[in-house]
Amino acid sequence: SGKTDQAGITLETQIIVTPTIGEDGLPVITIDTVKIGPVEAPEAVRTAVGSIAQKLFTNAIGNGLTNEKLQSITISDGVMVVVMQPNQ
């Protein structure tokens, strides 16, 4: 949750994601919900947010996967935990 400020209007914003590990071993971010104020954002906004989130997350974590592989990704109480293990 956070706030969005556009043209002097500030609204609460909520983005709910589900992280998983794809068959290729790379992180996958699924956007479940995007709300701006009390309104659910349209599918096009959710898709755009998902694309940006996927790129950022893959760049942050995926680039370090040459010597390690993802074991699990969880989010609880706003904290993301990523567990990796060395490649065998």
Side-chain angles (χ1 to χ4, degrees), residues 19-29 54 57-74 80-88:
T20 57
I21 301 170
E23 290 183 19
D24 58 1
L26 295 176
V28 176
I29 300 297
Q54 183 67 50
F57 195 72
T58 299
N59 286 341
I61 293 177
N63 289 338
L65 294 177
T66 53
N67 296 321
E68 298 177 303
K69 69 177 183 175
L70 286 173
Q71 185 173 351
S72 67
I73 305 171
T74 57
M80 182 183 302
V81 176
V82 178
V83 178
M84 302 172 86
Q85 65 183 21
N87 286 331
Q88 300 295 328

PDB file of all heavy atoms in Angstrom, residues 19-29 54 57-74 80-88:
ATOM      1  N   PRO A  19       4.366 -13.933  -5.825  1.00  0.00           N
ATOM      2  CA  PRO A  19       5.614 -14.372  -6.453  1.00  0.00           C
ATOM      3  C   PRO A  19       5.669 -15.899  -6.521  1.00  0.00           C
ATOM      4  O   PRO A  19       5.252 -16.584  -5.590  1.00  0.00           O
ATOM      5  CB  PRO A  19       6.686 -13.828  -5.506  1.00  0.00           C
ATOM      6  CG  PRO A  19       6.027 -13.863  -4.158  1.00  0.00           C
ATOM      7  CD  PRO A  19       4.558 -13.611  -4.417  1.00  0.00           C
ATOM      8  N   THR A  20       6.142 -16.415  -7.640  1.00  0.00           N
ATOM      9  CA  THR A  20       6.354 -17.856  -7.795  1.00  0.00           C
ATOM     10  C   THR A  20       7.664 -18.071  -8.535  1.00  0.00           C
ATOM     11  O   THR A  20       8.318 -17.123  -8.960  1.00  0.00           O
ATOM     12  CB  THR A  20       5.201 -18.524  -8.577  1.00  0.00           C
ATOM     13  OG1 THR A  20       5.078 -17.883  -9.844  1.00  0.00           O
ATOM     14  CG2 THR A  20       3.888 -18.436  -7.828  1.00  0.00           C
ATOM     15  N   ILE A  21       8.010 -19.320  -8.692  1.00  0.00           N
ATOM     16  CA  ILE A  21       9.216 -19.676  -9.451  1.00  0.00           C
ATOM     17  C   ILE A  21       8.755 -20.416 -10.700  1.00  0.00           C
ATOM     18  O   ILE A  21       8.044 -21.414 -10.609  1.00  0.00           O
ATOM     19  CB  ILE A  21      10.156 -20.545  -8.610  1.00  0.00           C
ATOM     20  CG1 ILE A  21      10.562 -19.785  -7.345  1.00  0.00           C
ATOM     21  CG2 ILE A  21      11.390 -20.950  -9.425  1.00  0.00           C
ATOM     22  CD1 ILE A  21      11.291 -20.617  -6.318  1.00  0.00           C
ATOM     23  N   GLY A  22       9.153 -19.904 -11.859  1.00  0.00           N
ATOM     24  CA  GLY A  22       8.764 -20.516 -13.128  1.00  0.00           C
ATOM     25  C   GLY A  22       9.512 -21.810 -13.386  1.00  0.00           C
ATOM     26  O   GLY A  22      10.477 -22.154 -12.690  1.00  0.00           O
ATOM     27  N   GLU A  23       9.059 -22.547 -14.409  1.00  0.00           N
ATOM     28  CA  GLU A  23       9.708 -23.813 -14.768  1.00  0.00           C
ATOM     29  C   GLU A  23      11.175 -23.633 -15.130  1.00  0.00           C
ATOM     30  O   GLU A  23      11.972 -24.549 -14.964  1.00  0.00           O
ATOM     31  CB  GLU A  23       8.955 -24.468 -15.923  1.00  0.00           C
ATOM     32  CG  GLU A  23       7.595 -25.005 -15.534  1.00  0.00           C
ATOM     33  CD  GLU A  23       6.907 -25.712 -16.679  1.00  0.00           C
ATOM     34  OE1 GLU A  23       7.582 -26.115 -17.644  1.00  0.00           O
ATOM     35  OE2 GLU A  23       5.678 -25.867 -16.601  1.00  0.00           O
ATOM     36  N   ASP A  24      11.513 -22.431 -15.609  1.00  0.00           N
ATOM     37  CA  ASP A  24      12.908 -22.144 -15.963  1.00  0.00           C
ATOM     38  C   ASP A  24      13.747 -21.752 -14.753  1.00  0.00           C
ATOM     39  O   ASP A  24      14.931 -21.444 -14.875  1.00  0.00           O
ATOM     40  CB  ASP A  24      12.967 -21.054 -17.024  1.00  0.00           C
ATOM     41  CG  ASP A  24      12.298 -19.755 -16.588  1.00  0.00           C
ATOM     42  OD1 ASP A  24      11.792 -19.686 -15.436  1.00  0.00           O
ATOM     43  OD2 ASP A  24      12.266 -18.819 -17.394  1.00  0.00           O
ATOM     44  N   GLY A  25      13.116 -21.734 -13.557  1.00  0.00           N
ATOM     45  CA  GLY A  25      13.840 -21.399 -12.335  1.00  0.00           C
ATOM     46  C   GLY A  25      13.923 -19.909 -12.050  1.00  0.00           C
ATOM     47  O   GLY A  25      14.514 -19.500 -11.056  1.00  0.00           O
ATOM     48  N   LEU A  26      13.316 -19.085 -12.909  1.00  0.00           N
ATOM     49  CA  LEU A  26      13.348 -17.642 -12.719  1.00  0.00           C
ATOM     50  C   LEU A  26      12.096 -17.182 -11.964  1.00  0.00           C
ATOM     51  O   LEU A  26      11.061 -17.838 -12.013  1.00  0.00           O
ATOM     52  CB  LEU A  26      13.444 -16.929 -14.066  1.00  0.00           C
ATOM     53  CG  LEU A  26      14.731 -17.169 -14.840  1.00  0.00           C
ATOM     54  CD1 LEU A  26      14.657 -16.494 -16.204  1.00  0.00           C
ATOM     55  CD2 LEU A  26      15.938 -16.650 -14.064  1.00  0.00           C
ATOM     56  N   PRO A  27      12.194 -16.039 -11.281  1.00  0.00           N
ATOM     57  CA  PRO A  27      11.038 -15.539 -10.550  1.00  0.00           C
ATOM     58  C   PRO A  27       9.926 -15.091 -11.496  1.00  0.00           C
ATOM     59  O   PRO A  27      10.191 -14.570 -12.577  1.00  0.00           O
ATOM     60  CB  PRO A  27      11.598 -14.350  -9.766  1.00  0.00           C
ATOM     61  CG  PRO A  27      12.821 -13.933 -10.503  1.00  0.00           C
ATOM     62  CD  PRO A  27      13.361 -15.167 -11.155  1.00  0.00           C
ATOM     63  N   VAL A  28       8.685 -15.303 -11.074  1.00  0.00           N
ATOM     64  CA  VAL A  28       7.504 -14.853 -11.812  1.00  0.00           C
ATOM     65  C   VAL A  28       6.651 -14.058 -10.838  1.00  0.00           C
ATOM     66  O   VAL A  28       6.329 -14.540  -9.752  1.00  0.00           O
ATOM     67  CB  VAL A  28       6.694 -16.048 -12.365  1.00  0.00           C
ATOM     68  CG1 VAL A  28       5.418 -15.570 -13.037  1.00  0.00           C
ATOM     69  CG2 VAL A  28       7.534 -16.875 -13.316  1.00  0.00           C
ATOM     70  N   ILE A  29       6.299 -12.834 -11.232  1.00  0.00           N
ATOM     71  CA  ILE A  29       5.460 -11.978 -10.404  1.00  0.00           C
ATOM     72  C   ILE A  29       4.088 -11.871 -11.063  1.00  0.00           C
ATOM     73  O   ILE A  29       3.980 -11.442 -12.205  1.00  0.00           O
ATOM     74  CB  ILE A  29       6.073 -10.565 -10.253  1.00  0.00           C
ATOM     75  CG1 ILE A  29       7.448 -10.643  -9.606  1.00  0.00           C
ATOM     76  CG2 ILE A  29       5.151  -9.644  -9.472  1.00  0.00           C
ATOM     77  CD1 ILE A  29       7.466 -11.178  -8.210  1.00  0.00           C
ATOM     78  N   GLN A  54       7.810  -7.330 -13.016  1.00  0.00           N
ATOM     79  CA  GLN A  54       8.547  -8.515 -13.457  1.00  0.00           C
ATOM     80  C   GLN A  54       9.970  -8.156 -13.868  1.00  0.00           C
ATOM     81  O   GLN A  54      10.927  -8.820 -13.477  1.00  0.00           O
ATOM     82  CB  GLN A  54       7.808  -9.195 -14.619  1.00  0.00           C
ATOM     83  CG  GLN A  54       8.473 -10.475 -15.093  1.00  0.00           C
ATOM     84  CD  GLN A  54       8.422 -11.574 -14.043  1.00  0.00           C
ATOM     85  OE1 GLN A  54       7.373 -11.857 -13.493  1.00  0.00           O
ATOM     86  NE2 GLN A  54       9.551 -12.179 -13.764  1.00  0.00           N
ATOM     87  N   PHE A  57      12.035  -7.122 -10.690  1.00  0.00           N
ATOM     88  CA  PHE A  57      12.319  -8.265  -9.828  1.00  0.00           C
ATOM     89  C   PHE A  57      13.325  -9.211 -10.474  1.00  0.00           C
ATOM     90  O   PHE A  57      14.259  -9.683  -9.830  1.00  0.00           O
ATOM     91  CB  PHE A  57      11.013  -8.998  -9.507  1.00  0.00           C
ATOM     92  CG  PHE A  57      11.132  -9.949  -8.361  1.00  0.00           C
ATOM     93  CD1 PHE A  57      11.253  -9.484  -7.070  1.00  0.00           C
ATOM     94  CD2 PHE A  57      11.125 -11.308  -8.569  1.00  0.00           C
ATOM     95  CE1 PHE A  57      11.363 -10.355  -6.000  1.00  0.00           C
ATOM     96  CE2 PHE A  57      11.241 -12.192  -7.514  1.00  0.00           C
ATOM     97  CZ  PHE A  57      11.356 -11.707  -6.227  1.00  0.00           C
ATOM     98  N   THR A  58      13.148  -9.485 -11.762  1.00  0.00           N
ATOM     99  CA  THR A  58      14.076 -10.368 -12.464  1.00  0.00           C
ATOM    100  C   THR A  58      15.477  -9.765 -12.498  1.00  0.00           C
ATOM    101  O   THR A  58      16.460 -10.470 -12.286  1.00  0.00           O
ATOM    102  CB  THR A  58      13.584 -10.660 -13.893  1.00  0.00           C
ATOM    103  OG1 THR A  58      12.310 -11.301 -13.808  1.00  0.00           O
ATOM    104  CG2 THR A  58      14.545 -11.565 -14.639  1.00  0.00           C
ATOM    105  N   ASN A  59      15.571  -8.462 -12.734  1.00  0.00           N
ATOM    106  CA  ASN A  59      16.886  -7.808 -12.740  1.00  0.00           C
ATOM    107  C   ASN A  59      17.528  -7.845 -11.358  1.00  0.00           C
ATOM    108  O   ASN A  59      18.726  -8.044 -11.237  1.00  0.00           O
ATOM    109  CB  ASN A  59      16.776  -6.371 -13.225  1.00  0.00           C
ATOM    110  CG  ASN A  59      16.561  -6.287 -14.714  1.00  0.00           C
ATOM    111  OD1 ASN A  59      16.821  -7.229 -15.462  1.00  0.00           O
ATOM    112  ND2 ASN A  59      16.046  -5.164 -15.174  1.00  0.00           N
ATOM    113  N   ALA A  60      16.728  -7.658 -10.318  1.00  0.00           N
ATOM    114  CA  ALA A  60      17.271  -7.631  -8.958  1.00  0.00           C
ATOM    115  C   ALA A  60      17.702  -9.005  -8.485  1.00  0.00           C
ATOM    116  O   ALA A  60      18.729  -9.155  -7.836  1.00  0.00           O
ATOM    117  CB  ALA A  60      16.234  -7.053  -7.989  1.00  0.00           C
ATOM    118  N   ILE A  61      16.927 -10.034  -8.806  1.00  0.00           N
ATOM    119  CA  ILE A  61      17.215 -11.376  -8.294  1.00  0.00           C
ATOM    120  C   ILE A  61      17.745 -12.300  -9.384  1.00  0.00           C
ATOM    121  O   ILE A  61      18.699 -13.035  -9.173  1.00  0.00           O
ATOM    122  CB  ILE A  61      15.964 -11.994  -7.646  1.00  0.00           C
ATOM    123  CG1 ILE A  61      15.620 -11.206  -6.401  1.00  0.00           C
ATOM    124  CG2 ILE A  61      16.186 -13.459  -7.313  1.00  0.00           C
ATOM    125  CD1 ILE A  61      14.377 -11.673  -5.704  1.00  0.00           C
ATOM    126  N   GLY A  62      17.123 -12.254 -10.538  1.00  0.00           N
ATOM    127  CA  GLY A  62      17.449 -13.188 -11.608  1.00  0.00           C
ATOM    128  C   GLY A  62      18.880 -13.104 -12.096  1.00  0.00           C
ATOM    129  O   GLY A  62      19.477 -14.112 -12.470  1.00  0.00           O
ATOM    130  N   ASN A  63      19.471 -11.912 -12.060  1.00  0.00           N
ATOM    131  CA  ASN A  63      20.843 -11.769 -12.539  1.00  0.00           C
ATOM    132  C   ASN A  63      21.861 -12.474 -11.645  1.00  0.00           C
ATOM    133  O   ASN A  63      22.963 -12.761 -12.067  1.00  0.00           O
ATOM    134  CB  ASN A  63      21.206 -10.286 -12.673  1.00  0.00           C
ATOM    135  CG  ASN A  63      20.481  -9.626 -13.819  1.00  0.00           C
ATOM    136  OD1 ASN A  63      20.029 -10.295 -14.751  1.00  0.00           O
ATOM    137  ND2 ASN A  63      20.343  -8.324 -13.765  1.00  0.00           N
ATOM    138  N   GLY A  64      21.478 -12.757 -10.402  1.00  0.00           N
ATOM    139  CA  GLY A  64      22.388 -13.436  -9.488  1.00  0.00           C
ATOM    140  C   GLY A  64      22.247 -14.944  -9.509  1.00  0.00           C
ATOM    141  O   GLY A  64      22.805 -15.637  -8.673  1.00  0.00           O
ATOM    142  N   LEU A  65      21.524 -15.460 -10.485  1.00  0.00           N
ATOM    143  CA  LEU A  65      21.220 -16.891 -10.489  1.00  0.00           C
ATOM    144  C   LEU A  65      22.204 -17.737 -11.290  1.00  0.00           C
ATOM    145  O   LEU A  65      21.894 -18.865 -11.636  1.00  0.00           O
ATOM    146  CB  LEU A  65      19.792 -17.119 -11.022  1.00  0.00           C
ATOM    147  CG  LEU A  65      18.687 -16.572 -10.138  1.00  0.00           C
ATOM    148  CD1 LEU A  65      17.332 -16.783 -10.789  1.00  0.00           C
ATOM    149  CD2 LEU A  65      18.715 -17.228  -8.770  1.00  0.00           C
ATOM    150  N   THR A  66      23.393 -17.247 -11.562  1.00  0.00           N
ATOM    151  CA  THR A  66      24.352 -18.052 -12.300  1.00  0.00           C
ATOM    152  C   THR A  66      24.959 -19.149 -11.432  1.00  0.00           C
ATOM    153  O   THR A  66      25.216 -20.241 -11.912  1.00  0.00           O
ATOM    154  CB  THR A  66      25.480 -17.174 -12.889  1.00  0.00           C
ATOM    155  OG1 THR A  66      26.037 -16.394 -11.839  1.00  0.00           O
ATOM    156  CG2 THR A  66      24.953 -16.280 -13.989  1.00  0.00           C
ATOM    157  N   ASN A  67      25.160 -18.860 -10.144  1.00  0.00           N
ATOM    158  CA  ASN A  67      25.758 -19.842  -9.240  1.00  0.00           C
ATOM    159  C   ASN A  67      24.766 -20.387  -8.213  1.00  0.00           C
ATOM    160  O   ASN A  67      25.112 -21.234  -7.406  1.00  0.00           O
ATOM    161  CB  ASN A  67      26.953 -19.231  -8.501  1.00  0.00           C
ATOM    162  CG  ASN A  67      28.055 -18.856  -9.456  1.00  0.00           C
ATOM    163  OD1 ASN A  67      28.326 -19.570 -10.414  1.00  0.00           O
ATOM    164  ND2 ASN A  67      28.682 -17.722  -9.224  1.00  0.00           N
ATOM    165  N   GLU A  68      23.554 -19.846  -8.233  1.00  0.00           N
ATOM    166  CA  GLU A  68      22.539 -20.269  -7.274  1.00  0.00           C
ATOM    167  C   GLU A  68      21.200 -20.425  -7.988  1.00  0.00           C
ATOM    168  O   GLU A  68      21.013 -19.907  -9.086  1.00  0.00           O
ATOM    169  CB  GLU A  68      22.377 -19.232  -6.159  1.00  0.00           C
ATOM    170  CG  GLU A  68      23.638 -19.032  -5.346  1.00  0.00           C
ATOM    171  CD  GLU A  68      23.468 -17.950  -4.309  1.00  0.00           C
ATOM    172  OE1 GLU A  68      23.141 -16.822  -4.681  1.00  0.00           O
ATOM    173  OE2 GLU A  68      23.659 -18.260  -3.124  1.00  0.00           O
ATOM    174  N   LYS A  69      20.287 -21.163  -7.351  1.00  0.00           N
ATOM    175  CA  LYS A  69      18.938 -21.264  -7.899  1.00  0.00           C
ATOM    176  C   LYS A  69      17.931 -20.913  -6.819  1.00  0.00           C
ATOM    177  O   LYS A  69      18.193 -21.080  -5.620  1.00  0.00           O
ATOM    178  CB  LYS A  69      18.666 -22.639  -8.481  1.00  0.00           C
ATOM    179  CG  LYS A  69      18.574 -23.755  -7.484  1.00  0.00           C
ATOM    180  CD  LYS A  69      18.239 -25.053  -8.190  1.00  0.00           C
ATOM    181  CE  LYS A  69      18.069 -26.161  -7.178  1.00  0.00           C
ATOM    182  NZ  LYS A  69      17.638 -27.405  -7.789  1.00  0.00           N
ATOM    183  N   LEU A  70      16.784 -20.402  -7.259  1.00  0.00           N
ATOM    184  CA  LEU A  70      15.721 -20.051  -6.321  1.00  0.00           C
ATOM    185  C   LEU A  70      15.123 -21.308  -5.716  1.00  0.00           C
ATOM    186  O   LEU A  70      14.850 -22.275  -6.424  1.00  0.00           O
ATOM    187  CB  LEU A  70      14.613 -19.282  -7.041  1.00  0.00           C
ATOM    188  CG  LEU A  70      14.922 -17.848  -7.424  1.00  0.00           C
ATOM    189  CD1 LEU A  70      13.797 -17.284  -8.269  1.00  0.00           C
ATOM    190  CD2 LEU A  70      15.109 -16.997  -6.184  1.00  0.00           C
ATOM    191  N   GLN A  71      14.931 -21.289  -4.439  1.00  0.00           N
ATOM    192  CA  GLN A  71      14.295 -22.401  -3.753  1.00  0.00           C
ATOM    193  C   GLN A  71      12.861 -22.021  -3.385  1.00  0.00           C
ATOM    194  O   GLN A  71      11.951 -22.822  -3.541  1.00  0.00           O
ATOM    195  CB  GLN A  71      15.080 -22.774  -2.504  1.00  0.00           C
ATOM    196  CG  GLN A  71      14.553 -23.998  -1.806  1.00  0.00           C
ATOM    197  CD  GLN A  71      15.474 -24.412  -0.673  1.00  0.00           C
ATOM    198  OE1 GLN A  71      16.569 -23.897  -0.502  1.00  0.00           O
ATOM    199  NE2 GLN A  71      15.037 -25.356   0.117  1.00  0.00           N
ATOM    200  N   SER A  72      12.668 -20.780  -2.882  1.00  0.00           N
ATOM    201  CA  SER A  72      11.319 -20.328  -2.553  1.00  0.00           C
ATOM    202  C   SER A  72      11.266 -18.812  -2.486  1.00  0.00           C
ATOM    203  O   SER A  72      12.283 -18.153  -2.275  1.00  0.00           O
ATOM    204  CB  SER A  72      10.850 -20.922  -1.224  1.00  0.00           C
ATOM    205  OG  SER A  72      11.622 -20.406  -0.158  1.00  0.00           O
ATOM    206  N   ILE A  73      10.051 -18.291  -2.692  1.00  0.00           N
ATOM    207  CA  ILE A  73       9.779 -16.863  -2.542  1.00  0.00           C
ATOM    208  C   ILE A  73       8.461 -16.763  -1.782  1.00  0.00           C
ATOM    209  O   ILE A  73       7.464 -17.348  -2.191  1.00  0.00           O
ATOM    210  CB  ILE A  73       9.609 -16.149  -3.901  1.00  0.00           C
ATOM    211  CG1 ILE A  73      10.811 -16.383  -4.813  1.00  0.00           C
ATOM    212  CG2 ILE A  73       9.378 -14.654  -3.689  1.00  0.00           C
ATOM    213  CD1 ILE A  73      10.591 -15.883  -6.223  1.00  0.00           C
ATOM    214  N   THR A  74       8.464 -16.034  -0.665  1.00  0.00           N
ATOM    215  CA  THR A  74       7.231 -15.828   0.097  1.00  0.00           C
ATOM    216  C   THR A  74       7.111 -14.366   0.495  1.00  0.00           C
ATOM    217  O   THR A  74       8.118 -13.665   0.638  1.00  0.00           O
ATOM    218  CB  THR A  74       7.186 -16.696   1.372  1.00  0.00           C
ATOM    219  OG1 THR A  74       8.337 -16.402   2.171  1.00  0.00           O
ATOM    220  CG2 THR A  74       7.177 -18.178   1.048  1.00  0.00           C
ATOM    221  N   MET A  80       9.162  -9.652   1.935  1.00  0.00           N
ATOM    222  CA  MET A  80       9.456 -10.712   0.982  1.00  0.00           C
ATOM    223  C   MET A  80      10.712 -11.450   1.407  1.00  0.00           C
ATOM    224  O   MET A  80      11.719 -10.825   1.741  1.00  0.00           O
ATOM    225  CB  MET A  80       9.666 -10.155  -0.427  1.00  0.00           C
ATOM    226  CG  MET A  80       9.928 -11.240  -1.454  1.00  0.00           C
ATOM    227  SD  MET A  80      10.263 -10.630  -3.119  1.00  0.00           S
ATOM    228  CE  MET A  80       8.813  -9.695  -3.472  1.00  0.00           C
ATOM    229  N   VAL A  81      10.632 -12.783   1.412  1.00  0.00           N
ATOM    230  CA  VAL A  81      11.775 -13.627   1.751  1.00  0.00           C
ATOM    231  C   VAL A  81      12.097 -14.477   0.522  1.00  0.00           C
ATOM    232  O   VAL A  81      11.233 -15.191   0.020  1.00  0.00           O
ATOM    233  CB  VAL A  81      11.482 -14.525   2.966  1.00  0.00           C
ATOM    234  CG1 VAL A  81      12.659 -15.454   3.237  1.00  0.00           C
ATOM    235  CG2 VAL A  81      11.162 -13.682   4.193  1.00  0.00           C
ATOM    236  N   VAL A  82      13.334 -14.372   0.061  1.00  0.00           N
ATOM    237  CA  VAL A  82      13.805 -15.148  -1.081  1.00  0.00           C
ATOM    238  C   VAL A  82      14.873 -16.107  -0.584  1.00  0.00           C
ATOM    239  O   VAL A  82      15.857 -15.676   0.015  1.00  0.00           O
ATOM    240  CB  VAL A  82      14.391 -14.221  -2.181  1.00  0.00           C
ATOM    241  CG1 VAL A  82      14.918 -15.031  -3.335  1.00  0.00           C
ATOM    242  CG2 VAL A  82      13.349 -13.215  -2.633  1.00  0.00           C
ATOM    243  N   VAL A  83      14.655 -17.400  -0.802  1.00  0.00           N
ATOM    244  CA  VAL A  83      15.615 -18.411  -0.375  1.00  0.00           C
ATOM    245  C   VAL A  83      16.259 -18.994  -1.614  1.00  0.00           C
ATOM    246  O   VAL A  83      15.581 -19.420  -2.547  1.00  0.00           O
ATOM    247  CB  VAL A  83      14.919 -19.528   0.449  1.00  0.00           C
ATOM    248  CG1 VAL A  83      15.927 -20.601   0.838  1.00  0.00           C
ATOM    249  CG2 VAL A  83      14.244 -18.941   1.676  1.00  0.00           C
ATOM    250  N   MET A  84      17.601 -18.986  -1.624  1.00  0.00           N
ATOM    251  CA  MET A  84      18.366 -19.512  -2.754  1.00  0.00           C
ATOM    252  C   MET A  84      19.284 -20.604  -2.251  1.00  0.00           C
ATOM    253  O   MET A  84      19.625 -20.648  -1.069  1.00  0.00           O
ATOM    254  CB  MET A  84      19.150 -18.392  -3.413  1.00  0.00           C
ATOM    255  CG  MET A  84      18.267 -17.260  -3.905  1.00  0.00           C
ATOM    256  SD  MET A  84      19.185 -15.838  -4.485  1.00  0.00           S
ATOM    257  CE  MET A  84      19.463 -16.330  -6.162  1.00  0.00           C
ATOM    258  N   GLN A  85      19.691 -21.480  -3.147  1.00  0.00           N
ATOM    259  CA  GLN A  85      20.662 -22.525  -2.785  1.00  0.00           C
ATOM    260  C   GLN A  85      21.692 -22.627  -3.890  1.00  0.00           C
ATOM    261  O   GLN A  85      21.407 -22.338  -5.049  1.00  0.00           O
ATOM    262  CB  GLN A  85      19.974 -23.857  -2.545  1.00  0.00           C
ATOM    263  CG  GLN A  85      19.317 -24.476  -3.753  1.00  0.00           C
ATOM    264  CD  GLN A  85      18.592 -25.763  -3.408  1.00  0.00           C
ATOM    265  OE1 GLN A  85      18.250 -26.020  -2.263  1.00  0.00           O
ATOM    266  NE2 GLN A  85      18.367 -26.583  -4.399  1.00  0.00           N
ATOM    267  N   PRO A  86      22.910 -23.028  -3.539  1.00  0.00           N
ATOM    268  CA  PRO A  86      23.966 -23.161  -4.545  1.00  0.00           C
ATOM    269  C   PRO A  86      23.596 -24.200  -5.584  1.00  0.00           C
ATOM    270  O   PRO A  86      22.954 -25.207  -5.269  1.00  0.00           O
ATOM    271  CB  PRO A  86      25.185 -23.615  -3.742  1.00  0.00           C
ATOM    272  CG  PRO A  86      24.872 -23.302  -2.323  1.00  0.00           C
ATOM    273  CD  PRO A  86      23.387 -23.345  -2.186  1.00  0.00           C
ATOM    274  N   ASN A  87      23.989 -23.953  -6.832  1.00  0.00           N
ATOM    275  CA  ASN A  87      23.813 -24.950  -7.881  1.00  0.00           C
ATOM    276  C   ASN A  87      24.695 -26.143  -7.572  1.00  0.00           C
ATOM    277  O   ASN A  87      25.814 -26.005  -7.098  1.00  0.00           O
ATOM    278  CB  ASN A  87      24.186 -24.390  -9.260  1.00  0.00           C
ATOM    279  CG  ASN A  87      23.127 -23.436  -9.767  1.00  0.00           C
ATOM    280  OD1 ASN A  87      21.953 -23.562  -9.438  1.00  0.00           O
ATOM    281  ND2 ASN A  87      23.543 -22.492 -10.573  1.00  0.00           N
ATOM    282  N   GLN A  88      24.190 -27.318  -7.857  1.00  0.00           N
ATOM    283  CA  GLN A  88      24.954 -28.538  -7.595  1.00  0.00           C
ATOM    284  C   GLN A  88      25.812 -28.896  -8.788  1.00  0.00           C
ATOM    285  O   GLN A  88      25.517 -28.762  -9.885  1.00  0.00           O
ATOM    286  CB  GLN A  88      23.996 -29.687  -7.284  1.00  0.00           C
ATOM    287  CG  GLN A  88      23.128 -29.407  -6.077  1.00  0.00           C
ATOM    288  CD  GLN A  88      23.911 -29.298  -4.779  1.00  0.00           C
ATOM    289  OE1 GLN A  88      24.933 -29.931  -4.583  1.00  0.00           O
ATOM    290  NE2 GLN A  88      23.436 -28.453  -3.877  1.00  0.00           N
TER     291      GLN A  88
END
